Amino acid sequence: MSDRPQQLAHLEHLGDATRFAGQIHALIPKCPLLENFTPAEVRLLSHFMDVFRAVEGAEVIREGDGGDFMLLVVEGRVEVRKQDRWNTPQLIAVVEPGRTLGEMSMIDGEPRFATCVAVQPTLVAVLDRESLARIIVEHPLLGAKILMELVLMLSQRLRATSDRLMQQLDEQGPHGAGHV
Amino acid sequence: MSDRPQQLAHLEHLGDATRFAGQIHALIPKCPLLENFTPAEVRLLSHFMDVFRAVEGAEVIREGDGGDFMLLVVEGRVEVRKQDRWNTPQLIAVVEPGRTLGEMSMIDGEPRFATCVAVQPTLVAVLDRESLARIIVEHPLLGAKILMELVLMLSQRLRATSDRLMQQLDEQGPHGAGHV
């Protein structure tokens, strides 16, 4: 990884992810990002990632922040919370090891959509946009593989979110918003 | 392109997209997929695409179908319609030249989310999954560029859809579905 993200300065930096490559590889059955990765590809990727330890209660991503990195949860548990219009945090998801967070902002640079809080002692492996760009140039097939998995993950999430939205609009009946 | 998709058999096949490369390149200002492409990259990509003509009223994608290709609208206009639970087609979007359709199914192979109908005489350039895989192997940097743009587009669409869903849930008040 290039410079360590400032937004992670409150977490303990454990160095690059190479010595966690075995542990990361063992996550594959639970890891949509890496589902088609070989052990050699995981090792190569881990050179480009840094690992951080978050104590219980630490925010690893904060809604509205900038930030051009994604996280792979290696150990622990993270809750994803988003403020509703009454500023009450709503629980959106609970994230277990193998799942990733923050892919959208890594790619598009837009502010974070939700806050992610470690609710146990948690290890995260971080990949930032600059490292992804380096992977694409130095290891294009690995880069394409990562991007392909990101497209798949986003595509599935978009289907699920669109389905929920359609259901919500349907429940308002034929005169609801969005109907023509 | 490899074999022509069976789902497009009712459209007139105009050959591969190379002779449309200039016209496709002129779409760039209106084309999120190609926004960072050079003329040379558009020419290279167009070798891997086929162009079809759809008459007014022709379906170019049908909700629920299989199909592992995406479309770039080159000329004309396409409406995106999805059935609600009363089987009434709802207009979801109107798609102008430069926009793409069907990226999700190209990537994840899941059934089409909505139906796309040409509402004017329309030209579409088609890229299928096998051609994308060939691009990634034969031209990995071009492949990575396409994938990066797909990730960006999906990411932005996911943000917009998630925002709409959150608004819908908010409008139901603090006891609505999804709140904890």
Side-chain angles (χ1 to χ4, degrees), chain B residues 118-133:
Chain B
V119 292
Q120 291 175 6
T122 292
L123 293 185
V124 292
V126 175
L127 179 70
D128 66 16
R129 196 187 309 155
E130 195 177 322
S131 301
L132 177 59

Side-chain angles (χ1 to χ4, degrees), chain A residues 91-112:
Chain A
L91 181 66
I92 294 183
V94 177
V95 175
E96 307 270 352
R99 313 299 292 202
T100 46
L101 295 166
E103 310 88 344
M104 291 192 292
S105 292
M106 174 180 70
I107 296 292
D108 67 17
E110 297 286 314
R112 300 296 190 180

Side-chain angles (χ1 to χ4, degrees), chain B residues 72-139:
Chain B
L72 168 66
V73 179
V74 177
E75 268 182 44
R77 181 191 297 256
V78 173
E79 284 187 5
V80 183
R81 301 170 186 164
K82 186 169 172 67
Q83 303 225 348
D84 65 17
R85 59 173 173 174
W86 300 277
N87 291 327
T88 307
Q90 287 182 43
L91 181 66
I92 294 183
V94 177
V95 175
E96 307 270 351
R99 314 298 291 201
T100 45
L101 295 165
E103 310 87 344
M104 291 192 293
S105 292
M106 174 182 69
I107 295 292
D108 67 16
E110 297 286 314
R112 301 293 190 181
F113 185 76
T115 292
C116 304
V117 180
V119 292
Q120 291 175 6
T122 292
L123 293 185
V124 292
V126 175
L127 179 70
D128 66 16
R129 196 187 309 155
E130 195 177 322
S131 301
L132 177 59
R134 265 179 55 215
I135 293 173
I136 290 168
V137 172
E138 296 172 19
H139 308 281

